[in-house]
Amino acid sequence: MAAISRGILISRQYSGLLGLQTTRNAGAWNKDWMPGPYPKTEEERLRAARKYGLRPDEYKPVPDDGLGAGDYPDVPLVSAESRNPFTNWDYPEHRRNFGEPLHQNFDIYGLDRVNASQQPRFSATHQFLSFASVMAFFLGTYYYFEDRKMHWPLQPRFSATHQFLSFASVMAFFLGTYYYFEDRKMHWPLLPKQFPKEGVTHYTFEKSE
Amino acid sequence: MGQVMSEYIGDPATRPDYTKSATFDPLYGFSEGRKERVMIATVEEMQSADLPQDSRDYCAHLAIEHRACRQNVWPLAYKCAHEKHQYLNCQYEDFVLRMKEYERERRLLERTERKAAKAAREELND
């Protein structure tokens, strides 16, 4: 038990560096990490740029639409999966370099999560049309050949009507007998078994004393 | 075959419904009364013995004894022959009782029909 808690404490120190999340540090939030208000003066802009490690000419805060991003920089959304896997990233499991500003919701754009910036090889419309055309081909050929089947050069021994009537009469016989005898079952000449029940008296055939 | 003859080929009006218990008053026609059936095993005993619902009839006390005997002597189950026969004899008498009830029901139904036929005849004569 002690070893487990020690292990957790140690891994917590390392979780930021190695990207291993043995424990989540949600409880270690610091108020200083909260973004400040939207910068209005030039001085505020410079201070905000310095805070986020960006040059003043490349710092652009998220546009103020009243939804509270504050002075957080407008980082272009490139998911980890869309980034070049062969460059020498400082943090390969995030595909990110040291000091690179994080997107606001960067935690959902990791390698194992949403790839919002992917360029699919085929568009969604293309994919759907491929599927639909294959299905149309299969169904089309099936129904097209329903009346054009291969067969021996023979008349059927029994006509279709004859076959159907045979089937129907056999089924009628089975079902008819089954339902006819539902009320006419054989049984022993007994009344139902008497179980002791509250408020019900059962009698034998002997005289009462 | 006799059952089939009387019930389905003969007159269905005098046929008792074998899925339902007796419809006539149980004491009707018994001038000296009828002895009541006594339940010997209590509900607590049956519950304690985990007796299945089907076995909780008027022979339940013998069922419990038989099961207890088997549990004691298992796997030499032949030693419980006395308890087993006691239980099975009780079940046999219950079976005979059910047959008698059926027969009573049938005869009362036939009597009802005869009385109805007589009443109809007398109405015609009037």
Side-chain angles (χ1 to χ4, degrees):
Chain A
M1 189 58 211
I4 294 169
S5 43
R6 202 160 9 113
I8 290 174
L9 285 168
I10 292 170
S11 71
R12 205 181 268 171
Q13 296 168 26
Y14 292 141
S15 64
L17 291 176
L18 295 177
L20 290 171
Q21 291 268 324
T22 324
T23 63
R24 293 266 333 243
N25 254 345
W29 175 256
N30 193 324
K31 63 168 172 53
D32 294 338
W33 297 340
M34 191 74 179
Y38 190 82
K40 296 199 175 51
T41 68
E42 186 58 28
E43 200 205 309
E44 280 177 3
R45 271 202 77 238
L46 290 172
R47 207 154 11 106
R50 172 131 187 102
K51 181 170 76 164
Y52 291 111
L54 294 165
R55 289 198 315 267
D57 59 308
E58 67 182 5
Y59 168 70
K60 179 184 163 300
V62 174
D64 186 12
D65 56 354
L67 286 179
D71 60 359
Y72 200 85
D74 196 4
V75 180
L77 174 56
V78 185
S79 278
E81 203 181 324
S82 305
R83 298 177 186 215
N84 190 342
F86 299 110
T87 58
N88 198 8
W89 300 101
D90 291 335
Y91 304 121
E93 62 289 320
H94 294 150
R95 292 192 190 159
R96 179 181 160 264
N97 286 317
F98 176 78
E100 190 179 327
L102 297 168
H103 187 266
Q104 273 191 82
N105 302 321
F106 90 100
D107 53 343
I108 63 163
Y109 299 121
L111 273 179
D112 55 340
R113 293 186 179 183
V114 177
N115 187 0
S117 48
Q118 69 174 344
Q119 308 277 332
R121 188 168 157 193
F122 304 106
S123 69
T125 322
H126 186 128
Q127 289 177 34
F128 175 75
L129 282 175
S130 309
F131 170 74
S133 51
V134 168
M135 290 307 292
F137 170 73
F138 284 133
L139 295 169
T141 47
Y142 176 81
Y143 287 112
Y144 179 75
F145 285 110
E146 270 297 274
D147 284 335
R148 296 172 179 81
K149 287 183 183 166
M150 294 206 274
H151 59 89
W152 277 339
L154 295 176
Q155 283 282 346
R157 187 155 152 206
F158 303 109
S159 71
T161 322
H162 184 129
Q163 289 176 39
F164 174 74
L165 284 176
S166 312
F167 170 74
S169 53
V170 168
M171 289 308 293
F173 171 74
F174 283 133
L175 294 168
T177 45
Y178 179 81
Y179 287 111
Y180 179 75
F181 285 112
E182 271 296 275
D183 281 336
R184 295 171 177 78
K185 288 181 180 165
M186 293 209 272
H187 59 90
W188 277 340
L190 308 171
L191 286 189
K193 195 169 162 82
Q194 295 173 341
F195 286 98
K197 202 171 139 184
E198 201 67 35
V200 175
T201 25
H202 292 123
Y203 299 95
T204 63
F205 280 87
E206 296 160 24
K207 298 196 209 355
S208 64
E209 282 100 38
Chain B
M1 206 49 208
Q3 183 73 1
V4 173
M5 285 299 294
S6 62
E7 292 223 347
Y8 303 129
I9 301 169
D11 190 1
T14 58
R15 145 168 63 119
D17 190 348
Y18 72 100
T19 56
K20 301 196 174 45
S21 41
T23 52
F24 292 92
D25 176 27
L27 297 170
Y28 177 59
F30 288 91
S31 54
E32 288 168 21
R34 284 173 84 170
K35 197 152 95 171
E36 286 180 17
R37 292 186 87 174
V38 179
M39 186 61 187
I40 298 174
T42 61
V43 173
E44 290 80 19
E45 281 171 7
M46 292 197 287
Q47 199 155 350
S48 167
D50 246 347
L51 214 52
Q53 277 305 119
D54 291 343
S55 302
R56 298 194 188 193
D57 53 7
Y58 288 98
C59 301
H61 58 290
L62 297 168
I64 292 171
E65 276 176 26
H66 181 219
R67 279 164 178 262
C69 172
R70 279 174 73 92
Q71 197 174 352
N72 290 337
V73 306
W74 188 263
L76 308 166
Y78 68 90
K79 295 190 172 186
C80 292
H82 176 69
E83 284 81 5
K84 180 174 174 179
H85 285 115
Q86 257 184 340
Y87 177 60
L88 291 180
N89 281 331
C90 177
Q91 289 287 5
Y92 170 76
E93 272 150 29
D94 180 78
F95 189 89
V96 169
L97 202 139
R98 285 170 71 188
M99 284 180 78
K100 289 183 180 177
E101 291 279 359
Y102 182 90
E103 185 61 21
R104 174 169 180 265
E105 183 79 10
R106 187 184 71 81
R107 290 185 190 183
L108 285 169
L109 282 170
E110 283 185 352
R111 181 163 175 271
T112 320
E113 231 192 47
R114 282 199 305 269
K115 285 173 85 167
K118 185 172 171 194
R121 250 188 323 193
E122 284 176 2
E123 215 178 277
L124 279 174
N125 288 344
D126 286 344

